[in-house]
Each structure stands twice: as C-alpha cells, then as structure tokens.
Amino acid sequence: MSAEDVVELAKRRGFFLQAAGAYGGVSGFYTFGPQGAALKQNVEDSWRDRFTIREGNMEVDAPTVMPEPVFEASGHLDGFDDMLVECPECGESHRADHIVEDNTDIEEAESMPIADVEEVIAEYELVCPTCGTGLAGQAIEDFNLMFETNIGPGSSQPGYLRPETAQGIFVEFPQLAEYARNQLPFGVTQIGRAYRNEISPRKSLLRVREFTQAELELFIDPEEDEPDLESVADVAAPFYPATEQEAEDGEPFEATIGEVVEEGVVGKPWVAYYLGVAKQWYESIGVDMDRFRFRQHLGGELAHYAADCWDAEAEVDGDWIELGGFAYRSDYDLGKHHDHSDEEFTIFKQYDEPVTVERPTVDPDMSVLGPEFGGAASDVGDALEELAERNPDAFREAQRASEGASGDEPRAGEDSTVTVEVDGESYDVSVDAANFAVEEVTESGEHVLPHVVEPSLGIDRALYTVLDHSYRTDEVDGEERTYLDLPAEVAPTTVGVFPLMDRDGLGERAREVAEELREAGLSVTYDDSGAIGRRYRRQDEVGTPFCVTVDYTTIGEARDDDEGEPGTVTVRERDATAQTRVPVEDLAETLVALRDGELSFEDV
C-alpha cells in the first residue's frame, strides 16, 4: 500500500480532495468530503472527550484573525520561519531542509543552521525537485510563514491569520483565570483552524497551508502543581530522546511513562503525563502502535517558546511524520503578553499565613534625572525600579563603593553608580539619585506568573495516519477486497442498512429500520443499489464496521433457503465478514453496545 493508494481511495470515496479543482486547484488546501468530514468530526469528538471533558478542562473558540500586536508579543513575527531556497532556472521556491532530508541520510535538517544546510546542498550537489537545476551556491533565506491581512477598510489595522490556536487562549488569560476562580492548575482547550504559508505544500494532508489543531493549554504553578503520573505510569511506548538521536548508533527504546520520568529521560513530569494520555488516545482512534514513537526535539529544533518538547510521530509511507507536539512553554507566553499589554497575566496565590519579607525599593529623584537624561528620564526611572526588583545587589555594591568597604575610607575613583539600559542605550545613574532602600513588608500572598504545558495535536494528520494505518486488502469469495479497519468509535458511518432486494416490502421495512437506528443516535447509510455483495464492499471500503440486511425472514415471509427466526435481521461485521442474526427489537441496543466497545461481535 502506498500514499497514492490512500489518496486515490480518499478522493473516490469522499474523504478528502484538493480544493477548487474546477479552477485548477490550489496547493495546500483541501476539502473534506462526506466521509472525511464525518471521520474528522468523530476524531475531534474523541479528542474533546479525552482532553477536555475527562480532564475537567474548559473549551473556547477564538477568532482565526488576530491583530498584529498579539504576534509581536508572541514572537511569531520575528521567529516563525522556514528555510527558503529559490531555483535559479525555473524560479520555483522550495524548503531547503526538505530537499536535504529527501536526498540524504539527514533526518532533522530543520534543526541545522542555514550555513550548514547550504554546505550540505553543495556537498551532495542537490538539485531543484522541479527542473533538476543544481542548487549549490544558492542563498537560503528565512521565510516567515504568517498569512497577513487587513482588519477594516481604509487605513486598516494589520492582522494575521493565526498560525496556532494557542494565542487565542493566551490573550484571554485574565478573563479565563476569573472563570477558573483564579485557582491553579486549570486547562483551556480549543479545536480550530490554523494557517501557515508553507513554502512547498506536499504529501496531501501532511503538509498544508490550512489545517485543524486540537490544543490544550494547561496553566500551572511550577512550584506546587504535579500531575497524576500514577494513572499513566504503566503506559508503554517507544521513546527517541535527543541523546539517542545524536549518538552514532542511537535508536528508540521501549519504556513506560513511569520509567522515563524516574530515569530523567523526560525531564518535565507534566509533559510525560500527557505523553501517556496521548498514546492511549492515538491507539483508540486507530493509529498502529507498531508504527508510533515519541521523539524529543533537538536543541536547534526547539520553537522559540519551548523549554522542552516531544513529538508524537507515526510512520507513514516510509517516513516518520509529526502528529502532535508536547511542549513545556514555561512562562514565555504569559510573560510576553504581560509585558506587551495593559493587562495582568498573573494569579494571586494566597499564603497560609502572612509572611514578613524584605522588599527592595527605589524612589528616583526626578529633579536629578530630569536635567541629566532629558526625555529619557521617565524610562530610566522605570528601568531602575525593574533593576531593584531583579538585581538589588547592583545597588548594594554601588552603595558600598560610595561608603567604602567594611568601614574603610571611600576608594579613590570608585564610581558609585548603577547602569540601566533603555532602548538599547546604557545610562549610569548615581546611587544617591536612585534612593535605593530595603523595607520590611508583611505580605498575605504573591502574584505568580503561571507556566504552560501544551499538548498540541494535528487533526488532519491524525486523520490521514488513521486512513493509512487502517488500509487493508484481502480476498473474500474469490475476489480481492479493500477495507478500512477503522475503530467503530471514529468510523464515518456505524452501520449500513440494506434490503436483500427492493421489492415485496423489503425496501420499505429496511428504510424503517434505518430510521429507527438513526433515532437511537447511530450514523446510518441506506443502500439498495446492486448486488448485496457489492453493497458490502462499498461499506467495507469506507470503514463501516457493521451492515444490516433486511430479508424475507425479517418481515415474516420465510423462504425455503432462509434461516433464523421471524423478525430478525442479518448483522455482518466488517473485518472477519462474520454474520449473525439479531431481533429487530434488540438491534439498536446491540449496535450501540458494539460501537461503544461494551459488547464484542462474538458475544452477540
């Protein structure tokens, strides 16, 4: 089975197809057909159940367009880049790291410096994938992936399509914290579209410009909050840490969540917890665990916001692809928005009992700062306050220089100043003009800038991987059969209902049965076209786990070759093509139990 097989099936059976095909299509954008939209919705619902409902988190739905200051604060305008190389002959643009990975043994060229990638292209004499022209000597540039737009008419406000759903959560943190009664930890989830202006979209859903993310942002007190590791301690998976990737003979190894935390392989317990949760979830939706692993980001590969990150990866068509990232974002995001906005992004943590602490303070003498620093005086004063909070020893050392060490006479030539920086320029301020002091204050609590733990999963890639991993071929009744071994929980349709033939009242009764099953909450398709075997094959090919056939026995007109009790239907299971008869009155309850995994087909 190849990627071409999956894409061909996806288009023919209505899972996904390139968008705007009537106008030649547009690279990196896909339309989900009837089967794909249903499968996608089921995967999203399964994720929501596991990461939102069962974890006790809140869910939001933020805009896909946000104003420029949001992404200035987040760092995306400066650091959200890919490596672009342009062919000197045909003018096509390509991702330089992908060219390296596709044509050498280097697996993670994205983590390499641009100069090193240029050297590899020259050393291996790599060429343009489009026209074959050599790329040695071509400059590689950083290309920002953000889609820019305008908000409003005229001299409109610049905005951007979000490259991740996370920022829509972070910017609303002050209000979300109130909803959570200002109690840590609390989590906020979101499922929605994100946009990245990819240089060279490829491999259908695996590298696109518009995609769906399912993200959880968990806000924690890093000094107090700990995960329930016991609940996932025995979950086992292959792990591929950075040390193994960098070793000459390094390989992934199998371990449990408990073991990788105890041995320090995964340094952040919260990240390890969500790796355990995610492994179970990926398995439940149909990802083949023999083609699955967790890989740690290399140092040069880490996003600008991440202190540590592990990817969930799956093998698809011979390549390992990222399904989701599990990042410890520390206080980067809330700190940036705290500094750039007019809102407080902290949580007030009440102490059990009030405590008395020493608090460094400054009271800048503006009558001195004003004449000396002019228009910068106010900013210098603010910088002094920030320095006193961050590094009070700088003032103490300046005071000692002014007064003399250990009671000695002042040292000749000793400069009793502190230095602060404003807009890249340094200012020396007399310690006397700063009026530095240390006061004793009684505090009932403190403001904490929460840290963030983020499991971020791609829904489109999960969907494609599930299709790839569930694709099966076998032989039934002397004919080759293609079917999708999809879990009943996520299959686009749960049951197909067929009349044996559309006559003698069989069609009418089959349509009644289909309607009864829909009323019971089941996803049902009705089909009376063609031979019964062909109808089975059509449902097998889209992964429908069960089919129901209404025959003469069902309507109480048994023929000589009919078997079973009157009022029963034939229920067929997809994978083994086994069949059994079930009373119509018990049919909905039986199928619901089969779909939910509460009943096995062998026990029907």
Side-chain angles (χ1 to χ4, degrees), residues 285-305:
I285 65 170
V287 175
D288 183 354
M289 289 295 108
D290 290 332
R291 302 161 66 186
F292 179 85
R293 71 185 185 189
F294 290 117
R295 186 187 67 82
Q296 186 179 25
H297 281 206
L298 299 172
E301 189 182 358
L302 282 171
H304 59 275
Y305 51 73

Side-chain angles (χ1 to χ4, degrees), residues 236-299:
F239 290 85
Y240 198 17
T243 52
E244 289 295 316
Q245 297 173 57
E246 293 168 342
E248 187 174 339
D249 56 351
E251 293 287 343
F253 57 83
E254 189 84 8
T256 66
I257 296 297
E259 290 169 343
V260 296
V261 172
E262 182 178 353
E263 296 169 10
V265 175
V266 179
K268 303 292 185 182
W270 276 109
V271 171
Y273 171 75
Y274 284 114
L275 295 181
V277 171
K279 191 267 186 179
Q280 294 173 315
W281 180 75
Y282 279 121
E283 186 172 16
S284 75
I285 65 170
V287 175
D288 183 354
M289 289 295 108
D290 290 332
R291 302 161 66 186
F292 179 85
R293 71 185 185 189
F294 290 117
R295 186 187 67 82
Q296 186 179 25
H297 281 206
L298 299 172

Side-chain angles (χ1 to χ4, degrees), residues 107-108 290-293 313-316 318-322:
E107 294 183 359
E108 299 299 332
D290 290 332
R291 302 161 66 186
F292 179 85
R293 71 185 185 189
E313 295 187 332
E315 184 275 316
V316 174
D319 294 324
W320 286 95
I321 66 163
E322 174 193 348

Side-chain angles (χ1 to χ4, degrees), residues 10 13-17 30-45 193 205 212 459-460 463 467 490-493 523:
R13 290 301 187 194
F15 283 97
F16 61 83
L17 64 156
Y30 283 83
T31 295
F32 290 91
Q35 300 295 338
L39 175 59
K40 184 170 181 282
Q41 185 64 58
N42 290 342
V43 170
E44 291 177 7
D45 288 344
R193 296 297 179 95
L205 297 184
T212 299
I459 294 297
D460 310 69
L463 182 151
L467 290 178
V490 299
T493 303
S523 174

Side-chain angles (χ1 to χ4, degrees), residues 88-117:
E89 181 65 27
C90 69
E92 286 291 318
S93 295
H94 305 283
R95 273 190 62 170
D97 53 322
H98 285 172
I99 292 175
V100 169
E101 291 169 359
D102 290 345
N103 296 282
T104 72
D105 294 332
I106 298 172
E107 294 183 359
E108 299 299 332
E110 183 180 6
S111 64
M112 298 170 60
I114 283 180
D116 291 353
V117 174

Side-chain angles (χ1 to χ4, degrees), residues 3 171 242 369 497:
V171 297
L369 268 59
V497 176

Side-chain angles (χ1 to χ4, degrees), residues 175-496:
Q175 187 65 52
L176 294 170
E178 288 191 23
Y179 298 152
R181 302 182 304 282
N182 290 296
Q183 298 295 310
L184 297 173
F186 71 89
V188 183
T189 68
Q190 182 170 197
I191 301 176
R193 296 297 179 95
Y195 305 84
R196 297 179 184 179
N197 195 12
E198 290 286 346
I199 295 169
S200 52
R202 58 180 187 167
K203 296 186 177 181
S204 64
L205 297 184
L206 300 184
R207 182 68 64 180
V208 292
R209 290 179 166 129
E210 179 185 38
F211 53 95
T212 299
Q213 282 185 310
E215 294 194 301
L216 162 60
E217 309 303 329
L218 183 77
F219 302 99
I220 65 168
D221 182 338
E223 296 182 358
E224 294 188 1
D225 297 328
E226 297 181 353
D228 178 19
L229 281 176
E230 187 176 344
S231 65
V232 295
D234 295 330
V235 175
F239 290 85
Y240 198 17
T243 52
E244 289 295 316
Q245 297 173 57
E246 293 168 342
E248 187 174 339
D249 56 351
E251 293 287 343
F253 57 83
E254 189 84 8
T256 66
I257 296 297
E259 290 169 343
V260 296
V261 172
E262 182 178 353
E263 296 169 10
V265 175
V266 179
K268 303 292 185 182
W270 276 109
V271 171
Y273 171 75
Y274 284 114
L275 295 181
V277 171
K279 191 267 186 179
Q280 294 173 315
W281 180 75
Y282 279 121
E283 186 172 16
S284 75
I285 65 170
V287 175
D288 183 354
M289 289 295 108
D290 290 332
R291 302 161 66 186
F292 179 85
R293 71 185 185 189
F294 290 117
R295 186 187 67 82
Q296 186 179 25
H297 281 206
L298 299 172
E301 189 182 358
L302 282 171
H304 59 275
Y305 51 73
D308 188 24
C309 187
W310 288 74
D311 282 348
E313 295 187 332
E315 184 275 316
V316 174
D317 200 29
D319 294 324
W320 286 95
I321 66 163
E322 174 193 348
L323 297 181
F326 300 78
Y328 191 89
R329 299 178 76 129
S330 65
D331 60 1
Y332 175 88
D333 301 282
L334 297 189
K336 286 291 186 179
H337 291 300
H338 181 86
D339 293 340
H340 283 74
S341 72
D342 296 326
E343 294 283 344
E344 289 286 331
F345 282 73
T346 59
I347 292 283
F348 185 76
K349 182 170 70 173
Q350 190 85 24
Y351 296 147
D352 293 335
E353 295 181 0
V355 296
T356 300
V357 298
E358 291 186 341
R359 174 69 55 78
T361 64
V362 292
D363 183 18
D365 187 344
M366 300 307 292
S367 67
V368 175
L369 268 59
E372 185 169 356
F373 303 120
S378 178
D379 291 335
V380 170
D382 292 340
L384 288 169
E385 293 178 2
E386 190 275 333
L387 179 63
E389 182 178 349
R390 175 172 51 85
N391 183 19
D393 286 343
F395 293 89
R396 294 189 179 101
E397 291 173 3
Q399 286 178 329
R400 284 197 298 271
S402 175
E403 298 169 0
S406 304
D408 294 338
E409 291 296 319
R411 289 170 290 195
E414 189 74 53
D415 190 3
S416 56
T417 63
V418 292
T419 302
V420 295
E421 188 171 294
V422 175
D423 295 332
E425 185 172 349
S426 295
Y427 295 87
D428 294 329
V429 183
S430 164
V431 69
D432 293 333
N435 286 319
F436 172 79
V438 177
E439 301 175 352
E440 283 194 351
V441 295
T442 300
E443 296 181 342
S444 60
E446 65 178 315
H447 287 274
V448 175
L449 194 62
H451 283 205
V452 176
V453 184
E454 180 195 68
S456 174
L457 285 66
I459 294 297
D460 310 69
R461 286 190 172 195
L463 182 151
Y464 185 93
T465 300
V466 167
L467 290 178
D468 182 270
H469 286 194
S470 66
Y471 191 101
R472 304 280 188 274
T473 58
D474 63 4
E475 189 174 290
V476 174
D477 296 332
E479 294 184 1
E480 183 175 307
R481 175 181 73 135
T482 297
Y483 69 100
L484 296 179
D485 183 18
L486 295 173
E489 176 188 3
V490 299
T493 303
T494 305
V495 56

